Amino acid sequence: MIGLIVARSKNNVIGKQGMIPWRIKGEQKQFKELTTGNIVIMGRKSYEEIGHPLPNRETIVISGSKSFTGDGVSTARSLEEALDIIGDRDAYVAGGYRLFAEAIPFVDKMYITEIDTVIEDGDVFFPEFDTSLFDLETGETGGDEIKFTRTVYYRKRK
Ligand SMILES: NC(=O)c1ccc[n+]([C@@H]2O[C@H](COP(=O)([O-])OP(=O)(O)OC[C@H]3O[C@@H](n4cnc5c(N)ncnc54)[C@H](OP(=O)(O)O)[C@@H]3O)[C@@H](O)[C@H]2O)c1
């Protein structure tokens, strides 16, 4: 099972100036719950933003320019190479833009948290995708001044 996890604003922004442009209590809980004990695949910039290995899970950083090793962290030069390392184990693609765009054609599930805000001057967006290929399940809402809604897109099986 290859999953994807993202949080996006109403205008599809996922990043601004190298960071996630909101802090909402409880919003990142789902990321931890889903990925703990599993494998996370992320781009080099996203990994550098976090700045340290994520505990209790294996992280594969995709980078053509740098190598990351140790403490459950390894490096792959492409998404394809990461998928070879994973084999038939479960993994979650955690961004950014290019990884999402490359992974959407074959992910089984997308956990998309819809953040109820509009971000001006965002510089990284979630790619457009064909929603007709997925069944949508809407889940819980949460948040404080800014609300969020959990959604899961399940790929339709032919
Ligand atoms: N809202 C969310 O859920 C969410 C999730 C993740 C990230 N973000 C935000 O998104 C921004 C970072 O995303 P980003 O798209 O700018 O960068 P990114 O994907 O995190 O990192 C880009 C780098 O990763 C490597 N890379 C990515 N895809 C690759 C591929 N398919 N093949 C080979 N190398 C690949 C390249 O590294 P090299 O240059 O080393 O070759 C590339 O320069 C930040 O603002 C972050 O906060 C938001």
Side-chain angles (χ1 to χ4, degrees), residues 4 6 8 12 100 104-105 107 110 112 114 126-134 136 151 153 155:
L4 177 158
V6 67
R8 65 174 178 184
N12 223 20
F100 284 145
I104 285 172
V107 291
M110 297 195 287
I112 301 182
E114 305 286 6
F126 191 65
E128 296 293 331
F129 65 97
D130 183 352
T131 54
S132 74
L133 299 175
F134 295 86
L136 170 61
T151 69
Y153 285 79
R155 182 176 301 282

Side-chain angles (χ1 to χ4, degrees), residues 13-154:
V13 171
I14 64 167
K16 180 174 173 177
Q17 294 171 355
M19 294 185 302
I20 295 177
W22 50 78
R23 281 281 168 268
I24 308 169
K25 199 164 177 278
E27 190 273 305
Q28 296 203 322
K29 195 171 118 223
Q30 184 187 52
F31 181 90
K32 189 177 173 192
E33 285 171 2
L34 290 171
T35 59
T36 296
N38 288 309
I39 303 169
V40 181
I41 308 169
M42 63 174 74
R44 191 252 309 160
K45 291 180 187 171
S46 297
Y47 182 71
E48 287 183 331
E49 181 197 349
I50 296 170
H52 58 82
L54 295 163
N56 306 318
R57 66 213 101 164
E58 187 180 331
T59 305
I60 301 177
V61 184
I62 312 284
S63 174
S65 68
K66 294 190 182 175
S67 289
F68 303 86
T69 50
D71 288 336
V73 180
S74 60
T75 309
R77 298 298 172 211
S78 63
L79 179 57
E80 201 183 358
E81 192 183 314
L83 294 174
D84 279 348
I85 296 169
I86 290 160
D88 53 15
R89 293 178 291 165
D90 290 350
Y92 291 90
V93 176
Y97 173 82
R98 193 169 142 200
L99 273 190
F100 284 145
E102 282 188 25
I104 285 172
F106 58 82
V107 291
D108 302 293
K109 281 184 203 177
M110 297 195 287
Y111 293 86
I112 301 182
T113 298
E114 305 286 6
I115 309 290
D116 191 17
T117 188
V118 171
I119 302 293
E120 304 297 339
D121 303 323
D123 50 28
V124 185
F125 293 80
F126 191 65
E128 296 293 331
F129 65 97
D130 183 352
T131 54
S132 74
L133 299 175
F134 295 86
D135 290 317
L136 170 61
E137 185 180 285
T138 301
E140 59 170 8
T141 57
D144 32 50
E145 302 95 77
I146 304 175
K147 304 286 179 213
F148 63 80
T149 302
R150 307 286 189 201
T151 69
V152 188
Y153 285 79
Y154 296 90

